[in-house]
Each structure stands twice: as structure tokens, then as C-alpha cells.
Amino acid sequence: EQSLTFFGEKGGLLDSINRRYPKLWTLYKTLKKNDWDETEFNYLPCNTEFKTCDRSTYEIMLRQLAWQWQGDSVAARSVIGILAPVISATEVWTGYCRIVDNENIHALTYSEIVRMSFDNPDKIISEILSIQEAQKRLVAIARIFDTAYELNHKYALGQIEYSQELYEANFMFLVALYCLERLQFMASFLITFAICHGGQAFKPIGLAVQRIAKDEYEIHAPFGAELLRIELSSERGKLAFKNNRQKILNLIDEVAMGEMDWIDYSFSEGRTLT
């Protein structure tokens, strides 16, 4: 069976009559129903907490915010930009449009945290952007994103035709996006929740990140998993997995090692949580 998710009819109607992928549609509708806004939480009390907490807690929390802000910004700016030329199923298009809008909220939530929690947010932005370890966590994912972006836009411009190689670049993009959403945020979320444990410190940040984690865990990652399941039920998906199996295993290993390195970095130079 050939999936109709990608590389089908171009410029077709958005169709809610013929629903081929009901689980994707349900996840899209659930995320739409659960919509929220980055301004729902008041982070002003955190301004005092950042000024009065110990240096270790300050640095560890700032590093988690740095990574989560960058990671969500990449997801918000990349997904539709990469997949727009090749999506053909209504459920995939509406689902990822909603997920990207949700990623906008996630990234802007971290922006609001910085804006309200620090007297000089521009200085904090510079400090966040200087954390090389956060950027290094994205290297493995970025390689795959960049390949899919380049090939899909060549396809959109008519410079290349559809091929199994082009499909596999998009298959690997789906795998990489799943790794980003299902694996790469987990260490940072756990550390953030440890700092905010029991609502004793940085409570508004803890509540906001809890909302973000819920979106990622209950909607974003299951959407990606279901889409991969659909692709793996098709002949081109089975072939893509066969051809890229070792590459996928290497990617998972690289992402997992990056998470271990991030934890080591977060608690390096004598930083601890009490």
C-alpha cells in the first residue's frame, strides 16, 4: 500500500471528507482544543528568585532555558519550511501547521520567562546564545534537517524529480524530528522540574514548562510516531528504513550521548542542586 502523506497531488483541496488518517486528525483536533498562550503565566516573582537563589541553581536553570528556547525555536521555524513543498495529505498539513503554531507558543514562553525574570533580558539573550553546548546538541538533527530542506526546495523549483532518495531524505527528517521531540527535551525537562520540585521555587516557570512538556509528550511525539508508522506500512517506507537502518541507529546513539553530555555539562564546574 502506498501512503498518500507526501508527494501526492499538489495544491489539492484541504479535505475533511475523506479522512485516511484518523489518528493524525484526532491529535490535530486535540492540540487545537488545548490551545493556550505564552502570556498565561506571571513570571515576575521569578525575578526576585533569580537574584536570591544560589549561583549553581541560577546557572543550571539558565542552561535549561537556553536549550529549550533554542530547541523549540528550531522546531517552530523548520517543520513547515521543510515539509511544505511535499505534504499532500490534509491530516499531515493541518497537524503540522497546528504543531508549529504550538511550537511558536513554546518558544515565546521561554522568551516571556526571560523578559519578565531579568532586569536586563538582552544581556541574558546574549548569554544564552553564547552557550555552545546547547547549540552542539542540535548538530546531529540539523544535518538531517538541512538535507531535507535543500532537496525539498529543489523539488519545489522543479530542479529535481521525485525519487526514492528524495523520499528517504524526508523519512529521515521525520525520524530526526521525532528524536528531537521525544528524546532531546527529556533531560532538560527533568532538571527544570527538579529545580521547581513541589512548587517551592520558580513555580510559574515550572507550571509553564509542565504545559510545554505535556504538549510534546501527548501530541507532538505521538503525531510523529503515528506518521512514521504510516510510512513504515508502505513499500517506500519499508525500503527507506532498510536503506537507513544503521543511520537511524547512529542518530539515536548520537542524540542519547548528547543528552548524557548535556547532563554532565549542566552539573560541571561544581554546580549542584540542593
Side-chain angles (χ1 to χ4, degrees):
E1 181 182 351
Q2 181 76 328
S3 69
L4 302 173
T5 50
F6 302 102
F7 301 104
E9 294 183 10
K10 293 184 180 180
L13 297 173
L14 287 177
D15 178 8
S16 63
I17 300 169
N18 301 292
R19 297 181 191 170
R20 297 181 178 89
Y21 308 111
K23 188 169 182 179
L24 295 182
W25 186 260
T26 297
L27 289 166
Y28 153 63
K29 285 294 188 178
T30 300
L31 189 59
K32 186 174 183 293
K33 182 176 66 176
N34 294 339
D35 192 24
W36 57 288
D37 190 85
E38 70 273 8
T39 62
E40 288 184 17
F41 301 95
N42 178 18
Y43 307 106
L44 282 176
C46 300
N47 186 292
T48 300
E49 290 187 272
F50 272 113
K51 290 174 180 175
T52 57
C53 70
D54 62 86
R55 190 65 189 176
S56 283
T57 300
Y58 176 93
E59 292 179 349
I60 292 170
M61 176 64 96
L62 191 62
R63 278 153 179 75
Q64 308 324 305
L65 295 176
W67 156 248
Q68 290 159 205
W69 192 358
Q70 289 184 45
D72 279 330
S73 294
V74 167
R77 291 183 177 277
S78 298
V79 176
I80 291 298
I82 291 172
L83 292 180
V86 303
I87 293 175
S88 47
T90 294
E91 297 92 331
V92 179
W93 178 260
T94 54
Y96 272 131
C97 282
R98 177 57 58 176
I99 285 172
V100 165
D101 183 58
N102 192 234
E103 293 287 12
N104 290 337
I105 295 170
H106 293 182
L108 290 172
T109 295
Y110 294 115
S111 180
E112 285 296 296
I113 290 171
V114 170
R115 184 179 71 84
M116 298 180 70
S117 297
F118 299 95
D119 294 338
N120 188 349
D122 286 334
K123 179 182 177 182
I124 300 301
I125 289 175
S126 297
E127 189 173 342
I128 284 173
L129 292 174
S130 72
I131 300 175
Q132 296 297 316
E133 285 76 8
Q135 297 176 31
K136 288 178 182 177
R137 288 175 83 184
L138 289 167
V139 169
I141 300 296
R143 287 198 306 266
I144 295 170
F145 278 29
D146 289 347
T147 298
Y149 180 89
E150 180 180 356
L151 291 177
N152 285 355
H153 283 77
K154 285 183 177 179
Y155 174 76
L157 293 169
Q159 296 175 359
I160 60 174
E161 298 294 326
Y162 172 78
S163 65
Q164 180 67 19
E165 178 186 3
L166 175 59
Y167 171 77
E168 289 181 15
N170 286 276
F171 182 88
M172 287 302 300
F173 170 79
L174 297 179
V175 172
L177 181 61
Y178 183 73
C179 287
L180 174 64
E181 295 187 317
R182 187 63 181 86
L183 299 176
Q184 283 205 289
F185 283 93
M186 294 304 108
S188 293
F189 284 155
L190 287 173
I191 294 171
T192 302
F193 293 145
I195 294 173
C196 304
H197 178 64
Q200 299 303 310
F202 300 103
K203 184 176 180 180
I205 293 177
L207 291 172
V209 175
Q210 184 180 50
R211 188 69 183 266
I212 290 169
K214 187 174 186 291
D215 289 340
E216 299 283 355
Y217 187 75
E218 295 185 358
I219 304 294
H220 296 205
F223 191 94
E226 175 63 12
L227 189 50
L228 282 169
R229 187 198 64 77
I230 292 167
E231 297 310 308
L232 286 168
S233 69
S234 69
E235 291 304 315
R236 64 182 183 178
K238 292 173 184 175
L239 182 58
F241 181 74
K242 178 182 177 182
N243 291 343
N244 294 276
R245 185 175 185 277
Q246 190 57 52
K247 189 183 295 185
I248 292 169
L249 292 174
N250 292 342
L251 173 64
I252 293 171
D253 286 343
E254 191 170 348
V255 168
M257 287 303 300
E259 293 305 284
M260 297 300 103
D261 290 343
W262 177 258
I263 292 172
D264 290 342
Y265 167 71
S266 294
F267 294 97
S268 64
E269 300 175 355
R271 289 186 284 266
T272 60
L273 292 180
T274 55

